[in-house]
Amino acid sequence: MPAYRAPVKDTAFVLQSVVGLERYANLPGFAEATPDVVAAILEAGGKFCEDVLFPLNLSGDIEGGTRHADGSVPTPAGVKSAYDQFCEGGWGTLMADTAWGGQGLPYVVGTAFQEYLQSANMAFAMYPGLSEGAQAAIEVVGSEEQKAKWLPPMVAGRWTGTMNLTEPHCGTDLGLIRTRAAKNADGSYAITGTKIFISAGEHDLADNIVHLVLAKTEGAPDTVKGISLFIVPKLMVDDEGRFGARNAVSCGSIEHKMGIHANATCVMNYDGATGYMLGEEFKGLKAMFIMMNAARLGVGLQGLAQGEIAYQNAVAYAKDRRQGRSLTGVKDAEAKADTILVHPDVRRMLLDGRAFNEGARALILWGALQVDLAKKAATAEERELADDLSSLLTPVIKGYCTDKGLEVAVTSQQVFGGHGYVREWGMEQFVRDARIAQIYEGTNGIQALDLVGRKLAMNGGRGLRAWLAMVREALAGSDDAALGFLKAPLEKALGDLEASTMWLMSNGMGNPDNAAAGATAYMHMMGIVALGHMWLVMAKASREALDAGASDAGFYEAKLITARYYAERFLPDTASLRARLEAGSATMMAMPADAF
């Protein structure tokens, strides 16, 4: 059977040595995030995920969801009880504003806990995760009356939220949506249409479900400029918060999908359902991106989370499974065979996972800090910088971290050999669950296009210049003698990225196919360099801790070994990625359509 232990010690190291949480104690919310409070959240949150949520991961996957004849979709056994405990423990309130019943803690602290949530039970984590995205949109663009009505019960977890974007005939191209909103005499709207792929669209966890639905009003432009966003509750709610009739929204069916079985993915039918415009008319796309940007960071976290739990189980198996002898001589003469951990190729697979997971954890938590600073930093300049960095790196975190997260899950499964293909070991579930993260909230190809086509040039390239300067500054501040093993390869990788950026500027504007053809390679290059930057920071902190005589020297020594592995095995990949990018689009586009 699989197992999971929250990586509390590593998270604490990142929060201290990479994020530098205590440096921001003067900012709103950070003052409450004292070392003792954060330690308690990590320990108790990790324990909750290990003991309550993880035991339901495999059983929930096997049981899945079933739609009843009345349109209801009960969650698998044990999930409702676990959700009640989640709400009672206040775990969904960590990052929410105190005005709506939240604890007001930094986003970065909540993100640290959410990694454990996603590793322990990704399907479960999607229920509160989607609610947080919906809450963010209501908080930013909603009226004061809408905030007061909808946010307190959503923050408390009594009501949950969803995002309704996709339709049967359109996904990324939202200008094609056909869902319509006809204005009623009382100022509300009648919403009619069908939405698909709606995670958590129907369930029995909460008293109400608040759907946020994209639709076009009567006479609106039939393009993305005509999209508006609407609050459409499952149950009608009066001004006193009392429930009324069931709204004309229902689950028509559920998808039978590859993974995340314990979270129902619904086809939602709106048959003149009552909805309320959220934000301004025709500004729905902008409001949607509030949800999407929050979701994309969370999806990047899912890539790490599945990579982490898969890696943990692969390590445990490799330490226990005995097959063959070490190539350099018997390591355990008392046994008939050595453990497979003695074999270099098994260590390659494990260290690939460890090097990615620990680097991605640092990058994602650092990225979460930028989300905090974009709102709470002391000066306008600091807020602008954090917003620029967050905007630039969001597609990288979503795209690169989910691509690599799946790769780590698959490689960890490989460590098990045939046993990895058998359900009871749990590895095949981690692979299946990780796969969706590359697809939803904007496929990874879309993330790459967003990075190359929009984010690089945003504000005249201000964010890119700031981030490159930050990496250069970290390199300049690193000691050659102690960190040269990582510094030199990172400088080379950064040079490849900068050269590729110039190539895109020279060859992508005249022929956009060149930019699109190299977008995924560029996104992966930036991901490799971004993790390399994090590893440089972590290696420097580990070296300093050892020099200061740290009592847990083994932890820091392992960090330095993993940093060296990253330098040797990951950073050189930028050279081949650069070659792919600079090959351009000519050959790619030359094949006639009927020759495929």
Side-chain angles (χ1 to χ4, degrees):
M1 294 291 290
Y4 174 66
R5 289 293 175 264
V8 172
K9 184 176 180 62
D10 200 63
T11 304
F13 167 75
V14 172
L15 291 176
Q16 178 181 1
S17 300
V18 177
V19 172
L21 200 60
E22 294 181 49
R23 297 200 302 267
Y24 304 100
N26 61 313
L27 301 181
F30 282 84
E32 290 72 30
T34 63
D36 288 345
V37 167
V38 173
I41 289 171
L42 297 182
E43 290 289 347
K47 190 71 172 169
F48 173 77
C49 293
E50 294 167 4
D51 295 347
V52 178
L53 298 185
F54 178 69
L56 299 173
N57 196 41
L58 182 58
S59 61
D61 178 70
I62 294 171
E63 182 178 342
T66 303
R67 177 187 175 277
H68 290 179
D70 62 359
S72 63
V73 183
T75 49
V79 173
K80 178 67 169 68
S81 174
Y83 183 76
D84 291 342
Q85 293 177 63
F86 176 87
C87 294
E88 290 165 6
W91 295 112
T93 70
L94 290 177
M95 301 177 288
D97 195 303
T98 55
W100 317 118
Q103 299 182 49
L105 290 168
Y107 182 72
V108 65
V109 174
T111 300
F113 165 70
Q114 286 184 338
E115 182 201 327
Y116 307 161
L117 200 66
Q118 298 285 2
S119 280
N121 197 318
M122 181 170 156
F124 176 95
M126 291 171 65
Y127 289 103
L130 286 161
S131 288
E132 288 165 9
Q135 292 166 37
I138 295 171
E139 187 165 16
V140 173
V141 302
S143 66
E144 292 305 314
E145 293 78 10
Q146 288 173 330
K147 295 176 189 178
K149 181 174 184 175
W150 304 105
L151 287 177
M154 292 179 75
V155 168
R158 298 194 307 275
W159 303 353
T160 61
T162 70
M163 300 162 56
N164 282 238
L165 285 61
T166 306
E167 299 185 7
H169 58 284
C170 71
T172 300
D173 190 354
L174 291 171
L176 299 176
I177 67 171
R178 296 171 183 163
T179 300
R180 290 293 183 262
K183 196 165 188 177
N184 297 320
D186 63 359
S188 65
Y189 289 79
I191 311 298
T192 301
T194 297
K195 299 288 185 177
I196 65 170
F197 302 156
I198 309 306
S199 299
E202 180 60 46
H203 57 76
D204 59 359
L205 300 184
D207 298 331
N208 204 1
I209 303 175
V210 181
H211 303 289
L212 296 194
V213 183
L214 289 183
K216 293 176 180 174
T217 54
E218 295 173 312
D222 198 20
T223 66
V224 292
K225 295 182 179 180
I227 295 175
S228 300
L229 185 63
F230 298 87
I231 296 173
V232 187
K234 173 182 173 179
L235 298 178
M236 300 302 296
V237 183
D238 67 18
D239 292 338
E240 303 301 319
R242 296 184 295 255
F243 290 136
R246 171 72 185 254
N247 206 354
V249 52
S250 62
C251 172
S253 64
I254 60 173
E255 304 293 350
H256 301 283
K257 54 193 188 293
M258 178 177 177
I260 52 171
H261 292 157
N263 191 288
T265 301
C266 302
V267 174
M268 302 300 298
N269 295 323
Y270 294 85
D271 301 305
T274 300
Y276 309 94
M277 186 173 289
L278 180 60
E280 299 178 45
E281 187 175 16
F282 308 149
K283 301 291 186 181
L285 200 62
K286 183 177 180 181
M288 178 206 69
F289 273 108
I290 296 169
M291 295 186 285
M292 291 289 284
N293 286 334
R296 284 170 176 171
L297 287 172
V299 173
L301 187 66
Q302 289 177 340
L304 159 64
Q306 293 308 296
E308 173 64 28
I309 190 170
Y311 163 78
Q312 286 189 18
N313 283 273
V315 168
Y317 185 82
K319 289 181 176 179
D320 182 68
R321 177 71 168 176
R322 293 183 179 275
Q323 292 282 288
R325 290 296 191 184
S326 168
L327 297 176
T328 56
V330 173
K331 295 296 185 286
D332 187 354
E334 300 300 316
K336 291 184 177 180
D338 292 324
T339 67
I340 63 173
L341 192 61
V342 305
H343 302 306
D345 197 59
V346 171
R347 286 177 169 250
R348 171 190 63 81
M349 292 187 282
L350 296 177
L351 280 168
D352 276 358
R354 181 176 183 134
F356 166 73
N357 290 341
E358 294 183 9
R361 179 173 298 116
L363 178 62
I364 292 170
L365 291 178
W366 178 85
L369 173 68
Q370 305 314 308
V371 174
D372 281 317
L373 296 180
K375 299 176 182 178
K376 300 177 180 180
T379 68
E381 292 77 13
E382 290 173 306
R383 293 191 294 274
E384 178 182 86
L385 172 62
D387 188 60
D388 286 346
L389 293 172
S390 177
S391 296
L392 175 71
L393 289 169
T394 290
V396 178
I397 288 172
K398 195 282 185 186
Y400 180 72
C401 289
T402 58
D403 279 349
K404 293 298 290 186
L406 175 68
E407 183 180 312
V408 171
V410 170
T411 303
S412 297
Q413 181 189 35
Q414 185 75 12
V415 171
F416 283 69
H419 291 292
Y421 205 66
V422 177
R423 172 174 279 185
E424 69 183 273
W425 289 90
M427 301 305 290
E428 56 87 35
Q429 182 189 353
F430 304 147
V431 171
R432 289 186 289 103
D433 285 355
R435 184 65 182 90
I436 186 58
Q438 296 173 295
I439 298 171
Y440 58 16
E441 309 308 340
T443 64
N444 285 358
I446 295 297
Q447 302 306 314
L449 290 173
D450 179 46
L451 173 64
V452 169
R454 295 181 62 246
K455 299 302 173 60
L456 294 185
M458 185 176 287
N459 299 313
R462 188 176 65 204
L464 177 64
R465 291 195 302 273
W467 179 71
L468 291 173
M470 183 178 298
V471 180
R472 286 286 180 196
E473 183 179 353
L475 285 164
S478 301
D479 180 68
D480 288 342
L483 301 173
F485 69 90
L486 177 56
K487 182 176 178 180
L490 180 55
E491 286 179 330
K492 174 64 171 62
L494 182 61
D496 287 333
L497 180 65
E498 290 173 329
S500 294
T501 305
M502 296 302 296
W503 190 92
L504 286 173
M505 292 175 61
S506 300
N507 297 275
M509 296 182 68
N511 181 0
D513 279 346
N514 281 330
T520 293
Y522 187 87
M523 178 181 73
H524 278 233
M525 290 175 72
M526 186 172 281
I528 290 168
V529 172
L531 263 66
H533 175 213
M534 294 296 105
W535 270 114
L536 184 64
V537 175
M538 291 190 290
K540 183 177 181 181
S542 298
R543 184 71 268 163
E544 290 171 351
L546 288 171
D547 290 344
S551 57
D552 48 350
F555 174 85
Y556 298 106
E557 289 167 353
K559 276 287 177 199
L560 288 171
I561 292 171
T562 313
R564 186 180 292 274
Y565 185 89
Y566 189 87
E568 294 173 352
R569 298 281 179 150
F570 280 68
L571 289 174
D573 286 347
T574 58
S576 62
L577 289 166
R578 176 183 172 184
R580 294 182 209 174
L581 181 144
E582 293 181 358
S585 63
T587 303
M588 191 178 291
M589 305 308 293
M591 184 74 73
D594 59 5
F596 277 90

